[in-house]
Amino acid sequence: RRSRPLANHATLPHLGEIDAQIRLQGNQVTLVMSSDSAETRNLMRSAGLALRTRFDEAGLFLASMGVDAATENNSNGQTGV
């Protein structure tokens, strides 16, 4: 059974605009985040270990996490999957 990704666009107080695509299959989470800001991308990458710990505490396994530059295809919350 394939899971369907959830795509979201948000403007956060300390990160600015980000797009996130989350896929949950069983207890495995795949997360892809993007931002136009290099500083925001670096902050998201540096928070990866803490995020993995939070998922573990919730009984979920962070199978993969990617942080990319926002593109025209995903800057409006629509991602190609």
Side-chain angles (χ1 to χ4, degrees), residues 3 11-14 17-19 27 31-32 35-36 38 40 43-44 56 59-60 62 64-65 68 70 72 77-78 81:
S3 63
T11 301
L12 303 174
H14 299 288
E17 291 189 28
I18 66 165
D19 290 299
N27 71 334
L31 176 62
V32 178
S35 173
D36 286 332
T40 296
L43 287 169
M44 291 190 296
D56 286 344
L60 299 170
L62 184 58
S64 68
M65 180 182 122
D68 300 315
E72 206 171 295
Q78 303 210 0
V81 171

Side-chain angles (χ1 to χ4, degrees), residues 7-81:
N8 193 27
H9 177 84
T11 301
L12 303 174
H14 299 288
L15 294 177
E17 291 189 28
I18 66 165
D19 290 299
Q21 181 180 20
I22 304 166
R23 183 182 298 265
L24 177 62
Q25 190 165 15
N27 71 334
Q28 293 190 26
V29 177
T30 302
L31 176 62
V32 178
M33 298 177 288
S34 62
S35 173
D36 286 332
S37 166
E39 182 179 358
T40 296
R41 291 191 304 272
N42 288 336
L43 287 169
M44 291 190 296
R45 285 184 189 110
S46 67
L49 183 58
L51 186 60
R52 183 174 300 276
T53 300
R54 293 280 205 277
F55 276 114
D56 286 344
E57 290 169 354
L60 299 170
F61 173 68
L62 184 58
S64 68
M65 180 182 122
V67 179
D68 300 315
T71 64
E72 206 171 295
N73 289 340
N74 67 8
S75 63
N76 64 3
Q78 303 210 0
T79 55
V81 171

